[in-house]
Amino acid sequence: MTSTADNGPHVSREEFDALFEAVRAWGHWTPADRGAWNRVTPAHVRRATALVRSGTTVPMALPWNTVPAPDNSKPALFYMSDLGDVEAPEPSCHKDFIAVDYHGKGVSHLDALSHIAYRGQLYDGRTAREVVDAAGAHFGAVSSLGPLVTRGVLLDLPAVLGTDWLEPGTAVHADDVLAAENALGVQIGEGDAVLLRSGHFRRRARLGPWNPDHASAGLHVDAVPLLAERGISLLGGDGDSDVRPSPVEGLHSPVHALAITAMGVPLLDNLDLEPLSTACATEGRYEFLFVVAPLNVPHGTGSPVNPVAVL
């Protein structure tokens, strides 16, 4: 699709590199390959659990997507491997097989710190070719992260603007984040997991799939310094956080590079935030207990996940 939405202003590579240096948080934490998740202390967890009032539980993962589409060029696999006729007869046993190439647009997943390199370097200045090889990642693997339990904040931009969704290609700027905080009565704080809803999957349900690599609503790079200043631990959304087309010359995923590589902030991509939007509107608050537990995959660059909000 061709987007007519505003993804600008244009950012030069020189401007981007200056921004990268401004938000870079290398050498800040031990262990380094947990990055910004080191911000979340037991005190953060206790404060987050105190947000639970109604007990409403909202999962955010998309259904396991085995159907080819413009936004699912590598469909996940699912098949039955035992229909009760493989093993001894009693009790009968049913088994299935799943597999997925999850770094795309069709699967809800977490990006670990080994997922993105900029100018040949991963987060904390590690040389990508020295620590990522055919056996996987030897720094910044998803297995180093463990679970995250913290306060979640939903920036529900369509709710703020009174629209069903943001059109693909719409950039969300720092001023938009501040306006959303004010309108929703919530403020991003240290250690928070920040989720940006653009209404992506509401639009997909109504109008059909498209290729989000060509056009998707998301953050402009000028919003990242605000998030860095607030000290977030995780960034996610119903897209992949980047506005597309990219406003930065020569970079297809500049927010990925700033968040993961510069700041050490893992990303959550392709979340279904429609039920969470409804739940937050019903309860009149946009903060909640947030839990995500990636798979323990040694040397993995990420993991399929099903994050959960508890209000």
Side-chain angles (χ1 to χ4, degrees):
M1 66 180 294
T2 300
S3 173
T4 58
D6 183 8
N7 71 327
H10 173 81
V11 177
S12 70
R13 283 294 286 276
E14 292 77 13
E15 291 170 320
F16 177 83
D17 286 343
L19 186 56
F20 188 97
E21 288 301 312
V23 301
R24 186 165 62 90
W26 294 0
H28 281 206
W29 296 295
T30 302
D33 53 1
R34 294 192 76 243
W37 283 20
N38 285 292
R39 285 194 169 108
V40 179
T41 67
H44 287 91
V45 177
R46 290 192 297 270
R47 286 196 293 269
T49 60
L51 295 172
V52 176
R53 299 172 194 166
S54 69
T56 300
T57 301
V58 186
M60 304 178 209
L62 297 172
W64 196 248
N65 195 342
T66 62
V67 181
D71 55 355
N72 193 28
S73 61
K74 298 177 180 178
L77 301 180
F78 171 88
Y79 63 79
M80 297 302 296
S81 57
D82 188 345
L83 294 175
D85 55 1
V86 175
E87 299 180 353
E90 294 295 347
S92 58
C93 187
H94 308 103
K95 301 177 183 177
D96 53 64
F97 170 90
I98 60 173
V100 66
D101 188 346
Y102 60 87
H103 282 300
K105 310 302 182 185
V107 177
S108 302
H109 68 269
L110 178 93
D111 293 339
L113 299 188
S114 54
H115 178 50
I116 296 290
Y118 181 60
R119 297 193 182 279
Q121 290 184 304
L122 299 177
Y123 172 72
D124 216 42
R126 307 301 175 100
T127 300
R129 290 192 175 184
E130 293 178 357
V131 296
V132 182
D133 56 27
H138 306 280
F139 171 84
V142 70
S143 53
S144 300
L145 290 173
L148 181 71
V149 179
T150 192
R151 175 182 182 249
V153 171
L154 177 65
L155 297 178
D156 196 336
L157 268 296
V160 171
L161 298 173
T163 61
D164 287 335
W165 56 72
L166 304 184
E167 277 299 317
T170 301
V172 176
H173 300 276
D175 287 347
D176 298 315
V177 173
L178 294 172
E181 287 183 318
N182 184 60
L184 300 172
V186 67
Q187 187 172 55
I188 298 165
E190 184 185 30
D192 285 352
V194 177
L195 307 178
L196 174 68
R197 175 178 174 259
S198 69
H200 180 109
F201 289 103
R202 179 175 293 186
R203 187 185 193 278
R204 189 185 192 278
R206 294 231 196 125
L207 302 181
W210 71 97
N211 187 346
D213 282 331
H214 297 160
S216 60
L219 292 171
H220 191 277
V221 295
D222 67 14
V224 176
L226 173 63
L227 300 177
E229 178 186 326
R230 298 291 182 85
I232 66 171
S233 64
L234 179 68
L235 177 63
D238 52 9
D240 69 358
S241 295
D242 269 287
V243 64
R244 301 181 191 280
S246 167
V248 182
E249 62 183 41
L251 259 69
H252 59 81
S253 302
V255 171
H256 275 63
L258 292 175
I260 296 175
T261 313
M263 296 164 55
V265 172
L267 295 185
L268 283 172
D269 295 346
N270 314 320
L271 303 180
D272 183 0
L273 297 178
E274 297 309 302
L276 182 58
S277 172
T278 299
C280 286
T282 298
E283 301 208 6
R285 59 193 180 102
Y286 289 80
E287 60 175 354
F288 39 84
L289 172 65
F290 176 88
V291 181
V292 61
L295 298 176
N296 187 2
V297 182
H299 311 302
T301 63
S303 167
V305 287
N306 182 18
V308 175
V310 186
L311 288 95

